[in-house]
Amino acid sequence: MLFLYIIFIVYILAVNFYAVMLLKSLRDDYGEDQTKSNSGTGKIILTAILGGAIGIYVSMFILRFRTNNLLLMILMPVMGVVNVYFFITAFRSGFTFFVF
């Protein structure tokens, strides 16, 4: 059971690290080419659904990345709450909702 907890924690950290790196690379690409205003939004939303919403939301403010995009500014906190709820539920239940 401890191994499953460790794998889940590593997954959460890896997805959030990927989210920060994704935002950094999209910000750098956006700085070079101003015509790509909405490119990468799908990647950002998919990463948030997979568990990186907290990392995306925090790094949006640290990197000053598209904070004027209303969709991302509303969706990321909502997805962050859903992610945290899922993580807490998973840890409290002992991952019994997974069928092996």
Side-chain angles (χ1 to χ4, degrees):
M1 187 56 100
L2 180 65
F3 184 67
L4 193 58
Y5 284 120
I6 292 171
I7 288 175
F8 194 65
I9 290 170
V10 168
Y11 170 77
I12 293 169
L13 293 175
V15 169
N16 283 297
F17 179 74
Y18 172 73
V20 171
M21 291 294 112
L22 175 68
L23 280 179
K24 185 177 180 324
S25 69
L26 288 175
R27 184 195 62 167
D28 293 342
D29 290 343
Y30 181 70
E32 295 171 0
D33 187 13
Q34 296 293 331
T35 60
K36 297 180 179 180
S37 62
N38 280 334
S39 66
T41 304
K43 290 179 187 178
I44 293 172
I45 292 172
L46 180 64
T47 306
I49 290 171
L50 292 176
I54 300 295
I56 290 171
Y57 192 65
V58 169
S59 63
M60 279 175 65
F61 288 106
I62 292 173
L63 299 174
R64 295 183 187 140
F65 176 79
R66 284 194 210 167
T67 52
N68 59 349
N69 190 340
L70 188 61
L71 173 70
L72 293 179
M73 293 304 292
I74 292 174
L75 188 64
M76 288 309 121
V78 171
M79 288 304 300
V81 169
V82 170
N83 286 332
V84 169
Y85 174 75
F86 174 72
F87 298 153
I88 290 173
T89 304
F91 279 109
R92 281 190 181 169
S93 69
F95 300 101
T96 55
F97 52 88
F98 291 125
V99 178
F100 292 107

